[in-house]
Protein backbone atom coordinates (compact mmCIF):
# COMPACT_ATOMS: atom_id res chain seq x y z
CA UNK A 1 0.00 0.00 0.00
CA UNK A 2 1.20 3.51 -0.82
CA UNK A 3 2.74 5.21 2.23
CA UNK A 4 0.44 8.28 2.05
CA UNK A 5 -2.64 6.08 1.75
CA UNK A 6 -1.54 4.02 4.76
CA UNK A 7 -0.87 7.19 6.80
CA UNK A 8 -4.35 8.49 5.97
CA UNK A 9 -6.04 5.22 6.98
CA UNK A 10 -3.95 4.93 10.16
CA UNK A 11 -4.77 8.54 11.05
CA UNK A 12 -8.49 7.91 10.52
CA UNK A 13 -8.32 4.86 12.78
CA UNK A 14 -6.50 6.73 15.54
CA UNK A 15 -9.04 9.56 15.40
CA UNK A 16 -12.00 7.18 15.50
CA UNK A 17 -10.60 5.53 18.61
CA UNK A 18 -10.42 8.92 20.32
CA UNK A 19 -13.45 10.78 18.91
CA UNK A 20 -15.78 8.20 17.33
CA UNK A 21 -16.75 7.87 13.68
CA UNK A 22 -19.36 10.61 13.78
CA UNK A 23 -16.93 13.31 14.91
CA UNK A 24 -14.04 12.63 12.55
CA UNK A 25 -13.81 15.16 9.72
CA UNK A 26 -11.67 15.13 6.61
CA UNK A 27 -9.77 18.13 7.96
CA UNK A 28 -8.96 16.18 11.16
CA UNK A 29 -7.69 13.21 9.16
CA UNK A 30 -5.50 15.47 7.01
CA UNK A 31 -4.01 17.14 10.07
CA UNK A 32 -3.39 13.83 11.85
CA UNK A 33 -1.84 12.23 8.74
CA UNK A 34 0.16 15.38 7.97
CA UNK A 35 -1.17 15.53 4.41
CA UNK A 36 -3.39 18.00 2.60
CA UNK A 37 -7.12 17.49 2.13
CA UNK A 38 -6.35 17.42 -1.59
CA UNK A 39 -3.99 14.47 -1.06
CA UNK A 40 -6.76 12.60 0.76
CA UNK A 41 -9.17 13.37 -2.06
CA UNK A 42 -6.59 12.05 -4.53
CA UNK A 43 -6.96 8.62 -2.91
CA UNK A 44 -10.55 8.80 -1.66
CA UNK A 45 -13.59 10.62 -3.00
CA UNK A 46 -14.71 11.83 0.41
CA UNK A 47 -14.60 11.24 4.16
CA UNK A 48 -17.01 8.31 3.95
CA UNK A 49 -14.73 6.50 1.50
CA UNK A 50 -11.79 6.99 3.89
CA UNK A 51 -13.83 5.50 6.74
CA UNK A 52 -15.09 2.61 4.58
CA UNK A 53 -11.61 1.62 3.47
CA UNK A 54 -10.17 2.13 6.93
CA UNK A 55 -12.78 -0.17 8.50
CA UNK A 56 -12.20 -2.80 5.84
CA UNK A 57 -8.41 -2.57 6.14
CA UNK A 58 -8.57 -2.70 9.94
CA UNK A 59 -10.86 -5.75 9.73
CA UNK A 60 -8.44 -7.59 7.46
CA UNK A 61 -5.57 -6.68 9.78
CA UNK A 62 -7.47 -8.00 12.80
CA UNK A 63 -8.14 -11.30 11.00
CA UNK A 64 -4.44 -11.62 10.14
CA UNK A 65 -3.39 -10.77 13.71
CA UNK A 66 -5.86 -13.26 15.20
CA UNK A 67 -4.67 -16.06 12.93
CA UNK A 68 -1.09 -15.48 14.14
CA UNK A 69 -1.84 -15.43 17.87
CA UNK A 70 -0.26 -18.45 19.56
CA UNK A 71 0.36 -20.10 16.18
CA UNK A 72 3.66 -21.42 17.51
CA UNK A 73 2.11 -22.92 20.67
CA UNK A 74 1.13 -26.59 20.71
CA UNK A 75 -0.36 -26.95 24.20
CA UNK A 76 -4.16 -26.46 23.86
CA UNK A 77 -4.50 -24.98 27.37
CA UNK A 78 -1.79 -22.41 26.79
CA UNK A 79 -2.97 -21.65 23.25
CA UNK A 80 -6.57 -21.04 24.37
CA UNK A 81 -5.42 -18.85 27.27
CA UNK A 82 -3.30 -16.74 24.91
CA UNK A 83 -6.16 -16.36 22.46
CA UNK A 84 -8.59 -15.29 25.18
CA UNK A 85 -6.12 -12.76 26.60
CA UNK A 86 -5.35 -11.34 23.15
CA UNK A 87 -9.03 -10.89 22.32
CA UNK A 88 -9.63 -8.28 25.01
CA UNK A 89 -6.26 -6.79 25.92
CA UNK A 90 -6.11 -3.80 23.55
CA UNK A 91 -8.60 -0.99 24.23
CA UNK A 92 -8.07 0.65 20.82
CA UNK A 93 -8.86 -2.64 19.07
CA UNK A 94 -11.97 -3.05 21.26
CA UNK A 95 -13.14 0.46 20.34
CA UNK A 96 -12.60 -0.21 16.63
CA UNK A 97 -14.53 -3.48 16.91
CA UNK A 98 -17.49 -1.69 18.50
CA UNK A 99 -17.33 1.03 15.85
CA UNK A 100 -17.22 -1.56 13.09
CA UNK A 101 -20.17 -3.56 14.41
CA UNK A 102 -22.14 -0.39 15.07
CA UNK A 103 -21.62 0.84 11.51
CA UNK A 104 -22.40 -2.65 10.14
CA UNK A 105 -25.73 -2.65 11.99
CA UNK A 106 -26.80 0.31 9.83
CA UNK A 107 -24.86 -0.36 6.61
CA UNK A 108 -24.93 -3.76 4.94
CA UNK A 109 -21.70 -3.09 3.04
CA UNK A 110 -19.75 -3.65 6.29
CA UNK A 111 -21.34 -7.01 7.08
CA UNK A 112 -18.73 -9.00 5.10
CA UNK A 113 -15.93 -7.40 7.17
CA UNK A 114 -17.69 -8.26 10.42
CA UNK A 115 -18.45 -11.75 9.13
CA UNK A 116 -14.80 -12.27 8.19
CA UNK A 117 -13.71 -11.42 11.73
CA UNK A 118 -16.31 -13.65 13.37
CA UNK A 119 -15.36 -16.49 11.02
CA UNK A 120 -11.69 -16.07 11.92
CA UNK A 121 -12.55 -16.15 15.64
CA UNK A 122 -14.77 -19.21 15.17
CA UNK A 123 -12.28 -21.20 13.12
CA UNK A 124 -9.29 -20.52 15.34
CA UNK A 125 -11.19 -21.24 18.57
CA UNK A 126 -12.85 -24.35 17.13
CA UNK A 127 -9.47 -25.68 15.95
CA UNK A 128 -7.95 -25.19 19.41
CA UNK A 129 -10.94 -26.69 21.21
CA UNK A 130 -11.05 -29.66 18.86
CA UNK A 131 -7.29 -30.26 19.24
CA UNK A 132 -7.70 -30.12 23.02
CA UNK A 133 -10.65 -32.50 22.88
CA UNK A 134 -8.72 -34.95 20.71
CA UNK A 135 -5.76 -34.77 23.11
CA UNK A 136 -8.07 -35.45 26.08
CA UNK A 137 -7.27 -32.06 27.64
CA UNK A 138 -10.75 -30.62 27.03
CA UNK A 139 -13.98 -32.42 27.84
CA UNK A 140 -16.61 -30.14 26.29
CA UNK A 141 -19.94 -29.88 28.07
CA UNK A 142 -21.70 -29.47 24.72
CA UNK A 143 -21.02 -29.26 20.99
CA UNK A 144 -17.74 -27.46 20.25
CA UNK A 145 -19.39 -25.05 17.79
CA UNK A 146 -21.87 -23.93 20.47
CA UNK A 147 -19.12 -23.51 23.07
CA UNK A 148 -17.20 -21.39 20.55
CA UNK A 149 -20.27 -19.16 20.10
CA UNK A 150 -20.67 -18.72 23.87
CA UNK A 151 -17.00 -17.78 24.22
CA UNK A 152 -17.33 -15.27 21.36
CA UNK A 153 -20.39 -13.75 23.04
CA UNK A 154 -18.36 -13.31 26.22
CA UNK A 155 -15.47 -11.78 24.26
CA UNK A 156 -17.87 -9.32 22.59
CA UNK A 157 -19.33 -8.29 25.94
CA UNK A 158 -15.95 -7.82 27.56
CA UNK A 159 -14.73 -5.84 24.53
CA UNK A 160 -17.62 -3.44 25.10
CA UNK A 161 -16.64 -3.05 28.75
CA UNK A 162 -13.02 -2.42 27.82
CA UNK A 163 -13.96 0.06 25.10
CA UNK A 164 -16.12 2.20 27.38
CA UNK A 165 -13.77 1.72 30.32
CA UNK A 166 -16.29 0.25 32.72
CA UNK A 167 -14.98 0.32 36.24
CA UNK A 168 -13.00 -2.82 37.03
CA UNK A 169 -12.65 -4.06 33.45
CA UNK A 170 -8.93 -4.66 33.60
CA UNK A 171 -7.10 -6.93 31.16
CA UNK A 172 -6.25 -9.29 34.03
CA UNK A 173 -9.84 -9.54 35.27
CA UNK A 174 -11.25 -9.97 31.77
CA UNK A 175 -8.75 -12.70 30.91
CA UNK A 176 -9.58 -14.46 34.19
CA UNK A 177 -13.31 -14.29 33.43
CA UNK A 178 -12.80 -15.72 29.95
CA UNK A 179 -10.53 -18.50 31.24
CA UNK A 180 -13.04 -19.37 33.97
CA UNK A 181 -15.90 -19.51 31.46
CA UNK A 182 -13.90 -21.60 28.98
CA UNK A 183 -12.72 -23.87 31.80
CA UNK A 184 -16.30 -24.52 32.89
CA UNK A 185 -17.48 -25.18 29.33
CA UNK A 186 -14.52 -27.44 28.58
CA UNK A 187 -14.10 -28.99 32.06
CA UNK A 188 -10.47 -28.01 31.80
CA UNK A 189 -8.00 -26.31 34.18
CA UNK A 190 -7.90 -22.85 32.61
CA UNK A 191 -8.04 -20.82 35.81
CA UNK A 192 -4.75 -19.65 37.23
CA UNK A 193 -5.41 -21.42 40.55
CA UNK A 194 -5.73 -24.75 38.75
CA UNK A 195 -2.74 -24.27 36.42
Amino acid sequence: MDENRRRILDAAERLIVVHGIERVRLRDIAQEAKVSIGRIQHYFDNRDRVIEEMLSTASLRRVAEWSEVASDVDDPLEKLSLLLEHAIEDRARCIMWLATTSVASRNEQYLPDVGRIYDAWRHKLADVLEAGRMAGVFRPTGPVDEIVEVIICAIDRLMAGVAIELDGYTPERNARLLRNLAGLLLTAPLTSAER
Side-chain angles (χ1 to χ4, degrees):
M1 182 185 293
D2 176 282
E3 181 60 31
N4 282 325
R5 188 181 195 94
R6 181 183 312 280
R7 283 186 19 223
I8 292 165
L9 296 174
D10 289 349
E13 185 171 353
R14 285 191 303 274
L15 289 168
I16 286 169
V17 167
V18 174
H19 302 293
I21 289 175
E22 302 79 20
R23 292 189 179 149
V24 174
R25 300 170 303 172
L26 207 53
R27 181 177 351 155
D28 302 325
I29 297 169
Q31 185 175 15
E32 180 74 14
K34 296 179 178 31
V35 299
S36 67
I37 291 176
R39 174 63 64 184
I40 293 175
Q41 290 171 328
H42 170 75
Y43 293 106
F44 308 96
D45 292 337
N46 54 43
R47 172 207 172 272
D48 291 342
R49 286 296 303 140
V50 175
I51 301 300
E52 287 171 20
E53 188 164 332
M54 184 279 307
L55 289 174
S56 182
T57 302
S59 295
L60 291 173
R61 188 180 65 246
R62 283 193 295 274
V63 167
E65 287 171 359
W66 180 254
S67 68
E68 290 300 313
V69 173
S71 60
D72 59 342
V73 175
D74 292 326
D75 175 37
L77 285 169
E78 184 181 352
K79 189 173 212 142
L80 182 57
S81 288
L82 290 170
L83 285 167
L84 296 176
E85 290 167 17
H86 174 80
I88 41 82
E89 70 186 355
D90 181 357
R91 181 169 182 259
R93 191 173 61 240
C94 292
I95 290 169
M96 283 307 302
W97 176 241
L98 286 184
T100 303
T101 56
S102 176
V103 167
S105 73
R106 296 181 305 273
N107 301 283
E108 284 185 15
Q109 74 219 44
Y110 298 106
L111 291 177
D113 292 330
V114 170
R116 225 182 339 267
I117 292 170
Y118 274 124
D119 287 344
W121 285 4
R122 281 187 195 99
H123 294 306
K124 182 92 176 207
L125 287 170
D127 287 349
V128 172
L129 271 52
E130 193 57 38
R133 187 188 67 74
M134 296 296 287
V137 176
F138 298 150
R139 293 179 310 284
T141 58
V144 167
D145 62 324
E146 291 180 9
I147 291 173
V148 165
E149 291 300 324
V150 170
I151 291 171
I152 288 173
C153 287
I155 289 170
D156 265 344
R157 173 58 184 90
L158 290 171
M159 287 180 93
V162 169
I164 62 174
E165 296 183 302
L166 282 177
D167 193 29
Y169 276 70
T170 66
E172 297 80 17
R173 175 188 175 270
N174 296 340
R176 186 181 67 248
L177 290 173
L178 285 174
R179 283 193 307 270
N180 288 342
L181 173 65
L184 290 170
L185 294 170
L186 299 169
T187 49
L190 280 160
T191 61
S192 43
E194 295 170 305
R195 292 193 75 194

